[in-house]
């Protein structure tokens, strides 16, 4: 690949796009979408902007609180030597886009400093434009950004490749692992390498989770053996460690703040919650002894944020809020636009542009029903007709679920594209 020629071509594409002209070659969709977000947010394409660096104390606190610290040895072993040999650096950022760790070529580290790619720096897309840290945080998939694909001109001598790392327990975005360096050292295979290492790190986190469930199971087993009736031991994320007297389930939906005593859970109904080391003992009560909570009257689907989405169930005996995965946020938004209902094939067409992919849709909606229960009807899939559904949208439709590649959601965003 002639990297200099590619850089000049991309500069022409960027310049034409920013001036409102039609470029001879269209930018890649992930880059074009990001440029559109930057123009809507007023990011300056010609001048570097740097937010305040974290202090040493703030950086240390973030490092201590980040689950990424537990998998840093995995990232180092897989990437640092490769990055150093290729005149790159490895960078690890948290879910806010803050640089927590950097390692690799000393000469490249100095160049990174000149670009503001320093420890404690904020590399959110809304701050520094299209880049290999902020853009993967938004779209939730690996992205390589080469030269003039960066929105801000001062970053054009640079190439960066980042992949998001998510928590396998709950799908929460933990941060991004990135490999960056001068554009002359770019290699297309870096994207596959960084993506593979991010998945390896997630696998290590999954192993740690299984180990923690085993510890909880060892604690809970003698407790469950003494009980009669139904009971389940779950970790703090709702994953099942042990169960007695009832059908096992992989996971139960827990409220954000679960306290000891009587409570009501969407998947179990009325139950007693008792703390265990590393989790909870949940003992469902006989519904004949405890009245069912009043039915909910309102659902509030909040998709206004580019990275975090929630569903609040209100108006019943107990209000509760559930954090949504990217896929569930997409499906519930689509259902909110079809109040009379949507078939599995219709939703598959909306999601994938392929009406035949109904198995995936049905599987995901069966998971949604675990926490929504009768509030989500089927045949066709729809919110219950007596429920008031409110959707909180972003101020600009172009920022609706920016990670989504679903055709129907891309159409909903396109009404505000520049």
């Amino acid at each position: 690949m002639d990297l200099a020629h590619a850089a000049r071509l991309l500069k022409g594409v960027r310049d034409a796009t920013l001036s409102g002209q039609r470029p001879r070659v269209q930018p890649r969709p992930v880059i074009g979408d990001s440029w559109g977000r930057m123009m809507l947010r007023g990011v300056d394409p010609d001048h570097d902007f740097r937010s305040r660096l974290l202090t040493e104390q703030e950086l240390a606190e973030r490092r201590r609180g980040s689950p990424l610290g537990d998998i840093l040895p995995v990232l180092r072993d897989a990437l640092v030597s490769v990055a150093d040999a290729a005149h790159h650096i490895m960078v690890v950022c948290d879910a806010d886009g803050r640089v927590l760790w950097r390692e690799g070529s000393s000469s490249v580290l100095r160049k990174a400093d000149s670009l503001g790619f320093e420890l404690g720096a904020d590399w959110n897309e809304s701050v520094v434009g299209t880049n290999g840290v902020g853009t993967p945080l938004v779209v939730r998939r690996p992205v390589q950004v080469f030269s003039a694909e960066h929105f801000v001109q001062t970053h054009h001598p640079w190439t960066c490749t980042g992949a998001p790392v998510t928590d396998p327990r709950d799908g929460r975005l933990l941060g991004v692992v990135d490999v960056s360096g001068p554009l002359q050292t770019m290699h297309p295979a870096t994207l596959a390498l960084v993506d593979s290492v991010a998945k390896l790190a997630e696998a290590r986190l999954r192993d740690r989770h299984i180990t923690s469930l085993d510890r909880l199971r060892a604690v809970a087993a003698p407790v469950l053996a003494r009980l009669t009736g139904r009971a389940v031991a779950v970790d703090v994320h709702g994953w099942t460690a042990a169960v007695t007297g009832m059908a096992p389930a992989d996971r139960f939906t827990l409220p954000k703040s679960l306290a000891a005593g009587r409570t009501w859970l969407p998947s179990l109904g009325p139950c007693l919650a008792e703390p265990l080391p590393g989790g909870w003992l949940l003992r469902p009560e006989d519904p004949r002894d405890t009245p069912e909570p009043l039915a909910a009257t309102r659902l509030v689907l909040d998709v206004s944020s580019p990275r975090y989405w929630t569903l609040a169930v209100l108006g019943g005996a107990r209000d509760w809020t559930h954090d949504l995965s990217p896929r569930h946020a997409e499906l519930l938004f689509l259902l909110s636009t079809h109040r009379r209902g949507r078939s599995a094939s219709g939703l598959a067409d909306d999601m994938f542009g392929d009406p035949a992919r109904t198995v995936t849709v049905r599987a995901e909606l069966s998971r949604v029903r675990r926490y929504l229960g009768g509030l989500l009807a089927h045949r066709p899939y729809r919110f219950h007709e007596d429920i008031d559904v409110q959707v909180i949208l972003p101020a600009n439709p172009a920022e609706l679920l920016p990670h989504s590649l679903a055709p129907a959601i891309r159409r909903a965003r396109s009404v505000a594209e520049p």
Side-chain angles (χ1 to χ4, degrees):
M1 180 186 296
D2 186 338
L3 297 179
H5 174 73
R8 288 193 298 272
L9 176 63
L10 286 171
K11 185 178 186 305
V13 171
R14 172 186 172 276
D15 292 346
T17 302
L18 295 185
S19 64
Q21 301 174 13
R22 184 177 182 84
R24 289 184 301 168
V25 178
Q26 292 297 316
R28 293 184 293 138
V30 67
I31 299 300
D33 289 348
S34 177
W35 288 354
R37 291 192 295 271
M38 299 308 94
M39 288 186 279
L40 286 169
R41 293 173 182 170
V43 175
D44 189 336
D46 299 317
H47 298 94
D48 193 352
F49 176 80
R50 304 180 189 183
S51 62
R52 181 185 68 85
L53 293 177
L54 296 176
T55 65
E56 290 186 6
Q57 180 179 352
E58 290 170 333
L59 178 62
E61 289 175 355
R62 290 209 181 207
R63 284 175 168 177
R64 283 194 297 269
S66 174
L68 296 175
D70 296 332
I71 56 173
L72 196 58
V74 175
L75 302 178
R76 284 184 175 131
D77 290 346
L79 288 178
V80 172
S81 61
V82 175
D84 196 10
H87 299 287
H88 278 64
I89 57 173
M90 180 196 76
V91 180
V92 180
C93 300
D94 65 14
D96 294 326
R98 290 285 184 173
V99 178
L100 299 188
W101 292 278
R102 301 185 318 167
E103 296 184 37
S105 168
S106 57
S107 62
V108 180
L109 285 170
R110 289 192 295 271
K111 291 179 181 178
D113 289 340
S114 69
L115 294 172
F117 208 16
E118 308 170 72
L119 286 174
D122 185 351
W123 273 67
N124 238 307
E125 195 187 58
S126 59
V127 175
V128 297
T130 308
N131 71 89
V133 171
T135 302
L137 284 174
V138 172
V139 302
R140 285 180 170 250
R141 58 186 185 275
V143 179
Q144 186 169 62
V145 182
F146 172 69
S147 187
E149 287 184 324
H150 288 90
F151 186 75
V152 178
Q153 186 174 3
T154 52
H155 301 154
H156 290 184
W158 203 248
T159 180
C160 50
T161 305
V165 179
T166 58
D167 191 328
R169 297 171 298 181
D170 55 13
R172 180 170 57 98
L173 192 61
L174 300 178
V176 164
V177 56
D178 169 271
V179 170
S180 292
L183 68 88
Q184 295 88 351
T185 60
M186 191 277 289
H187 195 286
T190 307
L191 183 65
L193 172 64
V194 174
D195 185 27
S196 297
V197 172
K199 287 182 169 59
L200 177 64
E202 291 174 347
R204 185 62 55 87
L205 289 172
R206 192 175 295 110
D207 291 343
R208 293 172 65 91
H209 179 221
I210 292 172
T211 300
S212 69
L213 282 179
D214 288 341
R215 287 197 297 266
L216 177 58
R217 188 174 297 114
V219 172
V223 177
L224 293 177
R226 295 193 298 268
L227 297 177
T228 59
R230 298 183 297 159
V232 58
V234 299
D235 70 5
V236 294
H237 298 277
W239 290 95
T240 301
V243 64
T244 186
M246 56 188 288
D250 290 338
R251 189 182 183 191
F252 295 91
T253 300
L254 303 181
K256 288 184 177 180
S257 55
L258 180 61
R262 279 188 168 82
T263 187
W264 183 87
L265 302 178
S267 50
L268 292 175
C271 62
L272 285 173
E274 303 174 29
L276 291 172
W280 292 92
L281 176 66
L282 305 176
R283 302 174 64 183
E285 297 181 334
D286 190 331
R288 293 172 297 182
D289 299 332
T290 306
E292 286 290 323
L294 297 175
T297 58
R298 187 160 64 102
L299 298 179
V300 179
L301 175 63
D302 189 344
V303 291
S304 60
S305 167
R307 294 202 300 245
Y308 308 103
W309 318 281
T310 60
L311 181 71
V313 181
L314 309 173
R318 292 176 178 85
D319 297 340
W320 52 275
T321 300
H322 183 69
D323 292 334
L324 297 174
S325 69
R327 182 56 53 82
H328 288 186
E330 293 170 319
L331 283 169
L332 291 175
F333 171 76
L334 291 172
L335 286 175
S336 75
T337 66
H338 295 280
R339 289 307 308 274
R340 293 186 178 182
R342 192 73 165 150
S343 67
S345 61
L347 284 170
D349 192 32
D350 291 340
M351 285 289 298
F352 309 111
D354 181 0
R357 292 187 61 178
T358 56
V359 172
T360 302
V361 167
R362 290 193 177 103
E364 289 295 342
L365 285 174
S366 70
R367 297 183 181 100
V368 173
R369 286 174 62 84
R370 290 178 189 172
Y371 53 86
L372 276 186
L375 300 179
L376 183 66
H378 58 100
R379 296 181 183 175
Y381 292 106
R382 66 199 184 278
F383 293 112
H384 193 282
E385 60 185 10
D386 294 332
I387 298 296
D388 176 38
V389 179
Q390 177 188 355
V391 181
I392 303 176
L393 297 167
N396 194 306
E399 297 186 336
L400 172 67
L401 300 174
H403 70 279
S404 179
L405 299 177
I409 294 176
R410 290 184 70 90
R411 288 194 293 271
R413 288 199 301 255
S414 66
V415 297
E417 288 182 356

